[in-house]
Amino acid sequence: MTMSRRALLAAGAGAGVGLLAACGSNTGRGGGGSGTELSQWYHQYGEAGTQQAVQRYAAAYHKARVTVQWRPGDYDQQTAAALLTDSGPDVFEVNGPTLDQIQGGQVVDLTEMLDGVKDDFNPAVLTPKTYDGRVWGIPQVIDMQMLYYRKSLLRDAGVQPPTTLDALVDAARKLSTSKVKGLFLGNDGGAGVLGGTPLHAAGLQLVTDDGEVGFDDPSAARTLGKLRQLYAGKSLLLGAPADWADPSAFIQGLTAMQWSGLWALPQIQQQLGDDFGVLPFPGDGRNGRPTVPVGAYGAAVSARGRHKEAAKEFVKWLWVERTDYQEDFALSYGFHIPARISLAKKATKLKNGPAADAVRFTTDHGYAQPLLWTPAAQTAYQDALSRIIRSGASPESELRGVVRKVSAELDRVKKVRNTKKSS
Amino acid sequence: MRRRRALWFWVFVGPFAAGLALFTYVPLLWSVALSFFDAHNTVTPTHFVGLDNYTAMLRDDAFVGSLRTFLVFTAFIVPATYVFSLALALMVNRVRRARAFFRSVFFLPAACSYVVAALVWKMSIFNGVRFGLANTVLGWFGGDPVAWLSITDPPWYWLVIVTVRLWLQAGFYMILFLAGLQRIDPVLYEAAAVDGARPGWTVLRHITLPQLRATSVAVVLLLVINAFQAFDEFYNLLSDARGYPPYARPPLVYLYYTALGQGQNLGLGSAGAVILALVIAVVTVGQARWLRLGRTDADG
């Protein structure tokens, strides 16, 4: 049988329309059908079972059909780009939202969601999600980072768990052998993960409470210079197959100490039993103090979503009302501290051993990245830290450049705030 | 008849032309327009700022540093790939048996994704621990493990970046050179032999290379453009969840973070993209003029 060109074209056009219709019907979004459809995005968690858990929570919600998207890769960049379009998520977890996202009107005000329960959310992680007295993201869990150390290796080397930065540098050097390195701060030598932690350890801040640069001080350069000592002294593990967030290097015995998150604790405990302890990042100098960074992924609602009210209702249901799911999400897979103070208090898994230490560190020494610390400020600081640690650049001159850049950024965001207020 | 042919022309070409206009030229022009506006977290031009984004980008040490890094990268990778792929082509061309097999073997890496190759290089061959492939080999000779991607002194990360790119693209350019070699008239080699030219360097210099001139010009142009557009292997070898180190940062990675990352400064990113496009255009045109692209010997 032969087919005329016209028939072929018609068939092709028909197939094309069919394909387009098929694609269009599987967007996971509402419109036209019965009941509201919501799209919810999560970044890819490393802990097994988390994905199934969030799918189970979504399936249990009956006021709308919620489609969960589990997104591997560069999640922060994906959400930032998706917020510019109408095809992004309705509800999404976010390591923020950032000040630019809030000022740009990309996320919805969720203040009312916390009516009557606001005081039950840990202020350390709620504050960075609050701008002009309004709440823009509901904290899901609290994540914190700390220093894991292998008790037996420290004992064999005659090293005490370090309580000052100088002691940490010294301990890392003594613990380094031809097979095992003293400390793992990430494959970049700590430039990425440590962020503002060394500055806090020196008694400083990234941004002061009145919105000024908080590290324009000679002690900042002195402390960052000690990170260079760790690197130059060949005490750091570099180039591990898995980076700092994964405890593999520590478990496999490639390093005696590792900077990682509380989420890694169950895995470490399972592999090493009691042969490990945890510490905050040690303080440095006269005004120094131990410190641990805390942060929280929060649930946010896209301002470009088609069903904003339905999305807000879902967020309230899952992250405010369903405390049983919140507890399950925080503690049944990796370890995270529940964002609700009442849940954190009764979490039995966090009451003993290193987990209890971690909770105490969070309460006593925790700091969160301030909302005014913009991505541009972060990039400038992180680049400088990388040059100080890896290339031996002068901490003083690098920090001078960062202070200039961060001041300009703070001026910019304050200007936007004033412009919005006056309009 | 002519109208009918025109109709069919548009039936077949139209959809592709429309796609090209919609997905390439409109975004391109939009991006150029955006570069003159303050556009934080929006693709809609809002506040006109003139050339402010351009001056900010040109004063940005990180962006200028990335351009400088890439001039060096281009200056190295272009001749290296040229020599390596030409050598492969000459070798395969001389093989008497199983030529198709060797051609396929060397071409095969070109079919591999840059992302996959970068991850293989990063995780298996050049990871920094003692059981990485490169470090295992070093260990046989008594060497200590090297953190290939994590140290800047010496800058071993360039070895990783350059080898992965050479592995991926040399096969493709080898095929271009092979095509060029097979178009050279064997009579020229026979005449050279009769005139007493020794096979090897003399023949390569006086017959093969001049005959490959057109192919060489095309290869070098493609290599230069590809080098400036490098992104995938750099990003996958050196980035982590927290960002990208300032050394060996290609301009496209920097623009990605500025415009599409959490920075979301689309006006500034667009200005950077225009600057980068102009740099590539100037280098390409300059090089084309230098290599006398499109001129015949008769043009002088």
Side-chain angles (χ1 to χ4, degrees):
Chain A
M1 191 182 98
T2 56
M3 202 174 191
S4 70
R5 279 185 295 183
R6 193 168 296 170
L8 186 68
L9 271 177
V17 169
L19 274 174
L20 284 174
C23 293
S25 68
N26 191 25
T27 59
R29 301 184 61 84
S34 61
T36 310
E37 293 190 16
L38 297 174
S39 161
Q40 184 187 21
W41 286 14
Y42 287 91
H43 85 285
Q44 184 183 32
Y45 283 75
E47 301 96 317
T50 317
Q51 186 179 8
Q52 290 73 21
V54 296
Q55 283 167 341
R56 203 169 58 245
Y57 310 153
Y61 188 65
H62 299 302
K63 288 188 183 171
R65 195 165 74 83
V66 181
T67 311
V68 170
Q69 282 195 33
W70 195 252
R71 302 186 73 89
D74 210 340
Y75 181 80
D76 292 342
Q77 266 75 19
Q78 289 175 32
T79 48
L83 289 180
L84 298 172
T85 73
D86 293 333
S87 57
D90 294 292
V91 180
F92 63 104
E93 66 168 13
V94 62
N95 190 11
T98 65
L99 185 56
D100 285 322
Q101 286 168 345
I102 297 168
Q103 289 185 331
Q106 294 187 311
V107 287
V108 169
D109 178 359
L110 301 178
T111 314
E112 291 165 16
M113 305 291 105
L114 296 184
D115 279 352
V117 291
K118 194 174 172 185
D119 291 344
D120 193 32
F121 279 84
N122 192 314
V125 288
L126 189 60
T127 305
K129 300 187 188 310
T130 308
Y131 177 66
D132 272 348
R134 317 296 298 168
V135 176
W136 303 89
I138 310 292
Q140 298 175 173
V141 288
I142 302 175
D143 279 318
M144 57 85 68
Q145 296 160 20
M146 57 189 169
L147 192 66
Y148 290 87
Y149 66 92
R150 189 87 173 258
K151 287 179 183 171
S152 56
L153 291 179
L154 265 68
R155 195 174 50 237
D156 293 349
V159 171
Q160 290 297 313
T163 52
T164 64
L165 187 53
D166 289 321
L168 179 68
V169 174
D170 194 41
R173 187 178 47 79
K174 285 181 180 160
L175 289 163
S176 293
T177 66
S178 60
K179 295 268 169 77
V180 181
K181 287 289 185 181
L183 176 61
F184 183 41
L185 294 174
N187 285 327
D188 60 357
V193 66
L194 290 181
T197 303
L199 298 178
H200 275 262
L204 305 167
Q205 287 175 283
L206 289 171
V207 180
T208 61
D209 296 338
D210 48 355
E212 302 297 331
V213 178
F215 52 90
D216 192 3
D217 188 285
S219 56
R222 188 199 60 220
T223 300
L224 298 189
K226 289 180 184 172
L227 298 179
R228 168 67 185 171
Q229 282 179 33
L230 277 168
Y231 181 89
K234 301 194 172 171
S235 309
L236 294 181
L237 174 67
L238 298 165
D243 216 341
W244 64 274
D246 188 309
S248 302
F250 186 62
I251 290 167
Q252 289 166 4
L254 296 172
T255 178
M257 299 185 282
Q258 176 174 339
W259 186 258
S260 193
L262 174 61
W263 56 83
L265 199 144
Q267 203 182 337
I268 293 173
Q269 207 152 33
Q270 193 185 11
Q271 299 289 326
L272 301 181
D274 294 332
D275 187 18
F276 78 98
V278 292
L279 289 169
F281 192 88
D284 184 49
R286 205 154 37 92
N287 299 318
R289 59 195 174 196
T291 187
V292 293
V294 298
Y297 265 97
V301 171
S302 167
R304 298 189 73 151
R306 288 188 212 163
H307 306 291
K308 287 196 277 288
E309 287 309 314
K312 282 165 74 175
E313 263 189 66
F314 172 64
V315 167
K316 186 175 184 187
W317 174 82
L318 181 55
W319 295 114
V320 179
E321 292 169 359
R322 291 303 302 255
T323 49
D324 52 339
Y325 288 160
Q326 292 158 36
E327 190 176 1
D328 177 67
F329 187 71
L331 296 161
S332 298
Y333 311 99
F335 275 7
H336 309 266
I337 302 170
R340 305 282 290 266
I341 296 165
S342 56
L343 290 179
K345 275 183 182 164
K346 66 178 187 183
T348 48
K349 287 181 180 173
L350 300 178
K351 284 196 170 150
N352 297 304
D357 291 340
V359 174
R360 186 167 49 80
F361 299 157
T362 305
T363 312
D364 296 348
H365 312 304
Y367 86 93
Q369 200 162 281
L371 193 57
L372 290 174
W373 188 246
T374 63
Q378 167 84 0
T379 303
Y381 172 72
Q382 209 165 295
D383 280 4
L385 199 51
S386 179
R387 284 190 288 266
I388 292 167
I389 295 175
R390 294 209 250 189
S391 308
S394 153
E396 287 83 6
S397 65
E398 288 291 334
L399 279 171
R400 269 197 300 276
V402 180
V403 167
R404 263 198 312 274
K405 176 86 180 174
V406 175
S407 295
E409 271 296 286
L410 291 171
D411 289 345
R412 177 182 71 79
V413 293
K414 283 177 202 161
K415 200 168 135 191
V416 175
R417 177 187 227 165
N418 295 336
T419 311
K420 286 205 181 285
K421 275 188 176 166
S422 61
S423 61
Chain B
M1 185 69 181
R2 190 174 291 170
R3 271 185 65 185
R4 202 176 154 148
R5 284 182 66 178
L7 177 72
W8 282 115
F9 172 81
W10 284 112
V11 165
F12 285 107
V13 174
F16 298 101
L20 192 70
L22 192 63
F23 296 111
T24 303
Y25 294 116
V26 170
L28 203 78
L29 293 173
W30 195 284
S31 175
V32 173
L34 217 54
S35 68
F36 298 103
F37 287 83
D38 178 24
H40 266 93
N41 296 66
T42 177
V43 286
T44 310
T46 44
H47 175 59
F48 184 75
V49 294
L51 292 172
D52 284 4
N53 285 328
Y54 287 89
T55 48
M57 215 57 188
L58 289 171
R59 282 183 191 152
D60 183 346
D61 291 342
F63 180 66
V64 175
S66 74
L67 286 177
R68 207 178 303 123
T69 303
F70 260 65
L71 285 172
V72 176
F73 172 65
T74 307
F76 181 79
I77 195 70
V78 171
T81 313
Y82 180 92
V83 170
F84 192 58
S85 51
L86 178 61
L88 277 180
L90 289 169
M91 233 162 53
V92 171
N93 200 39
R94 285 175 68 93
V95 169
R96 295 269 174 246
R97 288 182 185 176
R99 186 187 290 181
F101 170 77
F102 287 109
R103 202 168 47 203
S104 305
V105 164
F106 290 126
F107 180 72
L108 216 56
C112 181
S113 138
Y114 270 61
V115 177
V116 171
L119 291 178
V120 170
W121 252 243
K122 179 181 184 172
M123 319 274 275
S124 303
I125 304 176
F126 288 107
N127 70 41
V129 291
R130 59 180 182 273
F131 43 77
L133 183 61
N135 281 335
T136 304
V137 174
L138 267 183
W140 292 341
F141 298 98
D144 289 330
V146 173
W148 302 96
L149 286 164
S150 301
I151 54 172
T152 56
D153 186 22
W156 285 117
Y157 54 89
W158 279 119
L159 177 79
V160 185
I161 290 166
V162 165
T163 51
V164 72
R165 183 157 267 248
L166 269 178
W167 184 76
L168 281 162
Q169 66 178 12
F172 173 75
Y173 293 104
M174 175 201 75
I175 294 290
L176 297 188
F177 278 125
L178 265 178
L181 285 171
Q182 283 162 16
R183 286 179 55 195
I184 301 175
D185 193 340
V187 171
L188 290 173
Y189 291 109
E190 287 163 16
V194 169
D195 288 347
R198 281 173 297 149
W201 173 244
T202 313
V203 169
L204 177 73
R205 187 180 160 200
H206 294 288
I207 297 184
T208 309
L209 287 180
Q211 290 295 313
L212 282 178
R213 193 177 155 276
T215 311
S216 296
V217 169
V219 164
V220 170
L221 277 180
L222 287 173
L223 281 171
V224 168
I225 293 169
N226 282 346
F228 271 100
Q229 290 180 338
F231 178 86
D232 306 38
E233 79 271 40
F234 279 81
Y235 186 76
N236 286 288
L237 283 169
L238 291 166
S239 76
D240 60 37
R242 296 281 169 152
Y244 193 97
Y247 60 87
R249 176 157 47 200
L252 283 183
V253 170
Y254 188 67
L255 295 179
Y256 168 69
Y257 278 115
T258 305
L260 298 175
Q262 282 205 313
Q264 288 281 299
N265 193 340
L266 288 130
L268 196 63
S270 296
V274 171
I275 294 169
L276 181 62
L278 287 175
V279 169
I280 294 176
V282 167
V283 170
T284 310
V285 169
Q287 189 193 358
R289 288 180 72 89
W290 181 55
L291 294 168
R292 299 167 63 220
L293 182 67
R295 290 191 195 174
T296 62
D297 288 342
D299 294 332

